[in-house]
Amino acid sequence: MSTLAWFALASLAVWGWLALGQGFFWRTDQRLPPTGRGHARGEAGVSGRPDPWPYVIVVVPARDEAEVLPLSLPSLLAQDYPGVAEVILADDGSTDGTGRLAADLAGRYGGLPLTVVAPGEPEPGWTGKLWALRHGMALARARGPEFLLLTDADIAHEPDSLRLLVSAAVANDLDLVSQMARLRVESLWERLVVPAFVYFFAQLYPFRWINRARPLATAAAGGCVLLRTKTAVAADVPDAIRQAVIDDVSMARAVRRAGGRIWLGLAERVDSVRPYPGLGELWRMVARSAYAQLRHSPLLLVGTVAGLVLVYLVPPAATVAGVLGGDAVAAWAGGAAWAVMAGTYVPMLRYYRQPLWLAPLLPFTAFLYLLMTVDSAVRHHRGGGAAWKGRTYSRPEATS
């Protein structure tokens, strides 16, 4: 057999393992866990509804979010939560009037009480978002809530979102409940890149592995995290992860080290309203943290690039070259691997309500992610590091 045929067979074998042995990562049925009878803590009644409903404070770190805040903040203020709840927005040094706009929106729409705080510039060793979270969470803890909902300023919640999150946490004795918000998918580049972003995340952190009684992976989605206050204190969050660029995964690991129970799944009632109309915006979103995900390791970078090439690029290359060159084994194995790849992508495209003809284009999107990852590493080694909203975190220390 040819060398290309051997690579195609290796890729097919990897896809067979990924499809069946990687926690069925490609399935999209991990939604909020059901609420039923209360478990060990006895906080839920027979209906699964908390009795009484716990006090919750929503903490929103925000930096220069005037563009999206009118689409997101009113949805938080309008929560139909049966218990006591309020919102704290921590204005992280915004220059576009985010804090003033938040107060204006609260006056205009009413609903849950809103407090706006401005913690100032972060101290050395802190990322801006976690610095804002620190102050928002400290103010919240002083008021004695049982739960904190940590949600980004670009996340819109349906009116029953908080109620469903709390019900799931109480009924299932969970310390951290996180939902991966459904990202906006409208432009061509969003259609190509966004569903794949969630697909790749689930492949790296299979939700079923995270949600097992004996978990095999740990992660969270930072846009929507419901966290027990006492668990946050026990895990020393956010102080313990103050330098983390990928703060959601670091937070989940800190909670799990403190003995907390974690659940992560896809959202049905939580959506991101942030637009990424062009490739440049999406590129920056991925590249700012891609190398941090690899722990700034050149060895892991080389392994990741090689893995992406073998898993995603070899199948279409072998298929085309095999057909044109008369290499039947390369064409068959490459085509089979490409078909399995596309098949595992279909559920995510359906979740995002996208046309299924995008499934065979996944190798192209994977190639873009390969380039974004390499660019992230180049920026890091040039001293650029992770950049976001006018701040650069050049060489953060490991936090996990």
Side-chain angles (χ1 to χ4, degrees):
M1 288 192 301
S2 67
T3 301
L4 184 60
W6 280 112
F7 274 111
L9 286 170
S11 182
L12 178 59
V14 171
W15 272 111
W17 175 78
L18 286 173
L20 301 176
Q22 187 69 4
F24 294 98
F25 75 93
W26 44 272
R27 294 184 59 173
T28 56
D29 55 354
Q30 290 292 290
R31 311 297 170 89
L32 277 177
T35 58
R37 291 179 178 272
H39 294 277
R41 289 172 180 156
E43 296 163 327
V46 173
S47 68
R49 297 178 180 178
D51 185 19
W53 286 86
Y55 176 23
V56 182
I57 294 183
V58 183
V59 180
V60 185
R63 178 174 172 83
D64 292 338
E65 298 287 11
E67 179 183 1
V68 299
L69 211 59
L71 303 174
S72 60
L73 185 59
S75 74
L76 285 172
L77 301 176
Q79 289 299 298
D80 64 357
Y81 186 65
V84 178
E86 56 184 295
V87 181
I88 295 175
L89 185 139
D91 184 2
D92 179 23
S94 298
T95 60
D96 65 351
T98 289
R100 292 191 303 274
L101 176 59
D104 291 344
L105 290 170
R108 188 186 317 166
Y109 288 96
L112 300 184
L114 173 72
T115 302
V116 178
V117 296
E121 285 298 304
E123 292 181 355
W126 284 83
T127 65
K129 177 182 176 179
L130 291 173
W131 179 253
L133 269 181
R134 182 194 190 206
H135 285 261
M137 291 174 67
L139 178 60
R141 285 197 299 265
R143 300 179 182 180
E146 185 175 341
F147 284 96
L148 301 167
L149 174 60
L150 313 179
T151 186
D152 289 346
D154 65 322
I155 302 299
H157 294 252
E158 293 294 328
D160 58 356
S161 171
L162 181 58
R163 174 162 47 87
L164 294 174
L165 283 164
V166 172
S167 294
V170 170
N172 295 278
D173 293 341
L174 297 167
D175 297 282
L176 185 154
V177 178
S178 181
Q179 290 185 290
M180 180 161 283
R182 201 190 306 257
L183 304 176
R184 198 190 88 143
V185 179
E186 294 182 11
S187 71
L188 173 62
W189 286 111
E190 286 172 335
R191 293 174 187 271
L192 284 170
V193 174
V194 167
F197 176 82
V198 182
Y199 173 88
F200 293 143
F201 183 92
Q203 189 177 79
L204 188 61
Y205 301 105
F207 297 163
R208 277 178 171 73
W209 284 4
I210 294 168
N211 300 337
R212 283 166 48 108
R214 295 183 178 180
L216 299 176
T218 301
C224 178
V225 175
L226 183 73
L227 179 63
R228 286 185 188 269
T229 306
K230 66 179 182 180
T231 304
V233 173
D236 195 24
V237 169
D239 294 59
I241 60 170
R242 59 186 175 274
Q243 291 182 309
V245 174
I246 308 176
D247 53 86
D248 44 12
V249 175
S250 297
M251 180 183 296
R253 289 171 177 167
V255 167
R256 186 147 275 166
R257 285 195 298 267
R261 296 187 61 209
I262 290 173
W263 184 92
L264 171 63
L266 295 171
E268 294 179 309
R269 315 288 288 167
V270 181
D271 299 276
S272 172
V273 296
R274 189 183 304 283
Y276 294 99
L279 179 59
E281 294 91 344
L282 289 161
W283 192 290
R284 286 187 289 274
M285 177 192 75
V286 176
R288 71 187 177 96
S289 60
Y291 197 43
Q293 182 68 61
L294 301 178
R295 303 178 185 178
H296 305 101
S297 167
L299 186 61
L300 286 177
L301 175 65
V302 171
T304 298
V305 169
L308 287 171
V309 169
L310 175 66
V311 176
Y312 289 99
L313 303 187
V314 165
T319 302
V320 174
V323 170
L324 296 179
D327 189 335
V329 176
W332 171 84
W338 197 357
V340 175
M341 180 199 316
T344 63
Y345 193 35
V346 165
M348 190 61 68
L349 290 174
R350 285 178 172 161
Y351 170 72
Y352 271 96
R353 306 182 185 97
Q354 295 304 302
L356 300 188
W357 59 260
L358 289 169
L361 299 183
L362 186 57
F364 172 73
T365 304
F367 179 63
L368 290 178
Y369 274 87
L370 185 156
L371 296 179
M372 294 172 190
T373 303
V374 171
D375 181 52
S376 179
V378 170
R379 290 172 185 263
H380 174 82
H381 287 290
R382 287 180 175 174
W388 188 247
K389 296 290 181 75
R391 292 197 183 109
T392 299
Y393 308 105
S394 56
R395 296 183 184 276
E397 298 176 5
T399 58
S400 58

